[in-house]
Amino acid sequence: MSFAGTVPRGRPAGRPLFWTLVCAGLIAATAAILYAMGRVPICTCGTVKLWHGVVVSSENSQHLSDWYTPSHVIHGFLFYFATWLLAKRWPIGLGARAALAVVIEAAWEITENTDAVINRYREATIALDYFGDSIINSVADIVAMLAGFFLARWLPVWLTVLLALGMELVVGALIRDNLTLNVIMLLWPLDAVKAWQGGA
């Protein structure tokens, strides 16, 4: 978080067009890798929706945004903070930090769409209809992360934290899942949590 009004904003982006092209290239490369992995470009339903809000659905994670989009915005908050700490020790500008955030998010999108992780989701969480993301959804998730990254750049730290907590609480209340629960259920599945989620 650039933590406006709290900590220095850090080094300027420098060559913004260059880093924009780098980020775009990384996203395009991610899409190409996902395609090579056999991921579908768009939902097999044949349509592209701006929003799909049914979690227990074969169309979940297939469109541009869904209930898990806020998690990717929060990724951006966290990556901004992590790269801000990194920039305190090494001379890395904002553009390079954004590119690094894209690399991390892209690596997750690729990993998330491997058979091992897809099966893990289906076994350990309530995502019984989950068969991986469409490519357009993965690209939109990376863009959502970048939106969070730059929101954290401009918003004061207290508001960034408040937004993250608010998104986690609202999404958790509405669909009984969020970034925190997702991580818990992937790493340390809890039967009680799965049972509670299954009652949504």
Side-chain angles (χ1 to χ4, degrees), residues 6 20 57 122 141 162:
T6 306
T20 298
S57 162
R122 290 172 56 78
D141 286 346
L162 189 63

Side-chain angles (χ1 to χ4, degrees), residues 4-50:
T6 306
V7 298
R9 288 188 177 275
R11 298 171 181 84
R15 298 188 295 172
L17 177 59
F18 170 78
W19 288 113
T20 298
L21 292 174
V22 168
C23 289
L26 289 168
I27 293 172
T30 304
I33 292 169
L34 290 169
Y35 185 77
M37 291 169 57
R39 306 313 310 158
V40 295
I42 65 171
C43 178
T44 54
C45 62
T47 60
V48 176
K49 300 176 185 176
L50 178 61

Side-chain angles (χ1 to χ4, degrees), residues 77-187:
F77 294 167
L78 296 173
F79 295 161
Y80 186 91
F81 176 63
T83 59
W84 175 77
L85 291 175
L86 187 67
K88 292 179 70 175
R89 300 178 65 90
W90 288 282
I92 177 174
L94 185 64
R97 289 166 55 195
L100 178 58
V102 170
V103 168
I104 299 170
E105 186 75 357
W108 166 245
E109 288 297 326
I110 292 168
T111 303
E112 183 184 34
N113 284 286
T114 59
D115 290 341
V117 176
I118 290 172
N119 290 334
R120 177 67 171 175
Y121 269 118
R122 290 172 56 78
E123 292 168 2
T125 74
I126 58 169
L128 299 178
D129 290 322
Y130 181 67
F131 293 94
D133 300 351
S134 68
I135 295 173
I136 196 170
N137 177 262
S138 290
V139 168
D141 286 346
I142 298 173
V143 172
M145 181 282 297
L146 278 172
F149 183 94
F150 284 103
L151 272 175
R153 159 70 173 154
W154 294 110
L155 296 177
V157 62
W158 66 267
L159 184 53
T160 304
V161 172
L162 189 63
L163 280 174
L165 290 175
M167 286 188 284
E168 284 288 87
L169 290 172
V170 169
V171 173
L174 291 176
I175 68 167
R176 302 195 185 193
D177 203 5
N178 55 29
L179 178 59
T180 303
L181 290 173
N182 214 272
V183 171
I184 290 172
M185 294 303 287
L186 273 179
L187 300 179

